[in-house]
Every structure is written in structure tokens, then in C-alpha cells.
Amino acid sequence: MFRQKLRLLLQPGLPFHAPTCRSVHRLASLQKVAALPSRTMQSLLYPFSGLEAYLDRSVDRTPFQLFHPSLEDMMEAEKLFRCSPSHRIEYVTSAERMAHAPALKAPEVCFIGRSNVGKSSLIRALFSLVPGLEVRVSKTPGHTKKMNFFRVGGAFTVVDLPGYGHRAPRDFVEMVEPYLFGRRNLVRTFLLVDGAVGLQKADLIAMQMCEEIRSPFVVVVTKVDKSGAGVLLTNLMDLQEFLKTRTSRCFPQPFLISSLDYSGIHLLRCFLAHVTGSIRLKDTSTS
């Protein structure tokens, strides 16, 4: 049923823009996801579903499934991540200080995390349907030294912030804190945590900063393909307990992501479209 519904949404006649420039990941679009076996497809679109079998029955699943959009909603969100003559997706500029940030009016979301957490890789995966867009990814931790702004048509702006921790810019606080505190069109901060290693001291400090400046944020758990289910679930349960007891500005549901196999990428695109007011969800409780 799940598979048939997705294929119905992707039937011939719906617009599809062929990629140009560099190759597109084979699972970057829902059209390609439709060819997967049903269980694999479900796990890729809703990554937490692949972990439920390992959870004790006493564990409350609700916080991990608060945002559970329909396939129609995901399809609608995917349109925002495709270029068209009237909807340009492009790099805008880079800035070292809030005073140098572009004066953009559209809703804005930013991504922040420890150096080497996979932040630039995640942003590249989100924009993978625009192969001509350059999002620099380096094997060297701390590659991002400035705030990088990407415009998604007139819908919203994505900002790639420098990483904290190892090899962070010396003026990291002076660069990032004024942005988080003073950017009026910032609607959500996405704070990345490495799923293979769990919460680190630097992550806790970053969350505390978001709490103190009253900045709404969401936790994105990256590299979920890098560890076994046991390690990932342990780190996930520790994270969930911290969010429940120590935060008030964080969205309760962590988003599980793999930039390698694209688990959770479609779900996160839909959430981005939702929090920026770019789409109106039809149903977030069933799929």
C-alpha cells in the first residue's frame, strides 16, 4: 500500500526536471525511492521506523514521531528543492560578521554543529537536486570559516554556520552569537549531533547558548549509518532524555540523517519547508 501510494504520486505527467552538471545521488528524489523494496523505502523516508524493532515496548515512541508527514507533503516539499526559471536556488554570499550578512527578507534557517559532524555534507544532500550548486565539503574538520548563505527561491534561506569545537574559528562566538540573537528572520536553528559518538560537551554548550538567547532549535542526528543499532539507540535515548529534562526551546523530535544513504533527507526537507511556512501540511500523523 505504501509503495503503491508513492508510485501513484509519481505517475507520468508530473513535472520532473532532469539534473545537469555533476551527477545526482540515486536516492535524491522520491521518484528513485519508489523503486526500493517497501521496507527499505519506509526506513529511508522515516528512519526511526527502522529502529523500533530494537526498542523495548516500554519506551514511548511518541517523541520520535511527532512530525510524520504524508507522502503528498514530502512531494510538495521536494518541489522547493528543484530549480526552475521562477525558482532559483543559489549561493548568495559569505559573511564573517553579522554586520556583513545580506539583508534578506525570506524566513531563514541555519545549521550549526561540531567540526566534522557532517554539516556541509548534509546541506549538500539537501540541495542534491541542484547539482550545479556548489556546497564545499572537506575531509578536514573546521573547513567552514564563514557564514554561507543559500537562497531557495523566494521561499527561504539556508545558512551554513562555522563548526564549533576542534579547529573552530577563533572568533566563533563573536561571529555566531550575534547572528543567532539578532537575526530577525531566523525561524529555526538546526543543531547537529554525531549519532555515532552521541552528545559531547561542546554540543551541550551550544544547546545552552540557544536556550539562553531563546532561539528555537532542532537537533539533527547525523551519521546514523556509521554505527550499529545498539550504539545509535543508546546515544539517541541519552539525547532524548536531555532534551526532555534540560531544554525548553528545542523541538522534541530529533531527526535521524545519513548523508551517505539519504536516510531522513526527504523528511528533513519537508520539515524545513514546514517551519519556514513554505508549504501547508495535509497530514502529519499518518503516511
Side-chain angles (χ1 to χ4, degrees):
M1 182 64 182
F2 184 86
R3 186 192 195 93
Q4 292 174 346
K5 192 173 183 181
L6 181 53
R7 282 182 170 170
L8 181 62
L9 290 170
L10 294 164
Q11 61 187 335
L14 290 179
F16 176 74
H17 302 282
T20 57
C21 303
R22 72 167 185 265
S23 61
V24 175
H25 191 284
R26 64 186 182 86
L27 298 177
S29 73
L30 285 168
Q31 186 178 50
K32 300 298 184 182
V33 173
L36 298 173
S38 296
R39 184 174 295 182
T40 303
M41 181 168 53
Q42 177 82 12
S43 180
L44 187 143
L45 294 180
Y46 307 102
F48 182 73
S49 65
L51 295 174
E52 285 194 87
Y54 301 96
L55 282 176
D56 187 270
R57 293 182 179 180
S58 62
V59 177
D60 183 11
R61 271 80 164 161
T62 305
F64 300 99
Q65 300 171 325
L66 294 173
F67 185 76
H68 198 81
S70 66
L71 296 173
E72 290 89 343
D73 290 327
M74 288 196 194
M75 283 297 300
E76 195 65 26
E78 185 176 288
K79 294 176 184 177
L80 292 169
F81 289 87
R82 292 184 181 275
C83 270
S84 72
S86 61
H87 182 75
R88 297 180 60 186
I89 300 175
E90 58 191 351
Y91 163 77
V92 179
T93 190
S94 297
E96 293 185 352
R97 290 288 186 274
M98 177 65 174
H100 305 150
L104 303 173
K105 296 182 179 180
E108 210 158 90
V109 295
C110 70
F111 287 78
I112 190 172
R114 286 191 307 113
S115 298
N116 204 34
V117 75
K119 178 166 50 63
S120 295
S121 295
L122 169 57
I123 294 175
R124 172 178 280 189
L126 290 171
F127 288 136
S128 57
L129 295 171
V130 190
L133 181 67
E134 182 181 7
V135 180
R136 295 182 179 179
V137 178
S138 173
K139 293 182 180 180
T140 304
H143 179 76
T144 305
K145 299 296 184 182
K146 300 179 181 180
M147 299 182 287
N148 300 315
F149 293 77
F150 300 89
R151 178 167 30 223
V152 183
F156 58 91
T157 304
V158 172
V159 185
D160 182 6
L161 297 179
Y164 51 79
H166 181 60
R167 294 191 179 180
R170 292 183 179 180
D171 55 352
F172 174 84
V173 174
E174 291 79 5
M175 184 189 309
V176 172
E177 192 172 61
Y179 169 82
L180 294 177
F181 185 75
R183 192 69 167 176
R184 293 190 175 183
N185 57 331
L186 178 64
V187 297
R188 202 65 55 105
T189 295
F190 290 80
L191 197 154
L192 278 57
V193 173
D194 190 328
V197 300
L199 280 174
Q200 302 294 296
K201 183 178 180 180
D203 299 322
L204 302 181
I205 294 173
M207 290 185 193
Q208 182 180 5
M209 179 174 66
C210 289
E211 288 286 331
E212 289 178 352
I213 64 179
R214 301 182 65 80
S215 176
F217 66 103
V218 181
V219 172
V220 177
V221 180
T222 64
K223 303 182 181 181
V224 298
D225 56 288
K226 298 294 185 181
S227 62
V231 172
L232 178 59
L233 276 174
T234 297
N235 293 335
L236 194 57
M237 292 300 106
D238 290 343
L239 168 64
Q240 186 61 33
E241 180 64 20
F242 181 87
L243 297 181
K244 179 181 178 180
T245 60
R246 303 284 295 276
T247 69
S248 61
R249 307 295 294 178
C250 185
F251 185 66
Q253 176 180 335
F255 286 80
L256 311 183
I257 294 291
S258 168
S259 299
L260 183 63
D261 65 21
Y262 274 52
S263 295
I265 293 296
H266 304 279
L267 184 66
L268 187 59
R269 282 178 183 159
C270 193
F271 189 74
L272 284 170
H274 168 58
V275 297
T276 57
S278 304
I279 64 171
R280 178 170 295 188
L281 298 176
K282 297 179 178 64
D283 184 7
T284 63
S285 60
T286 60
S287 61

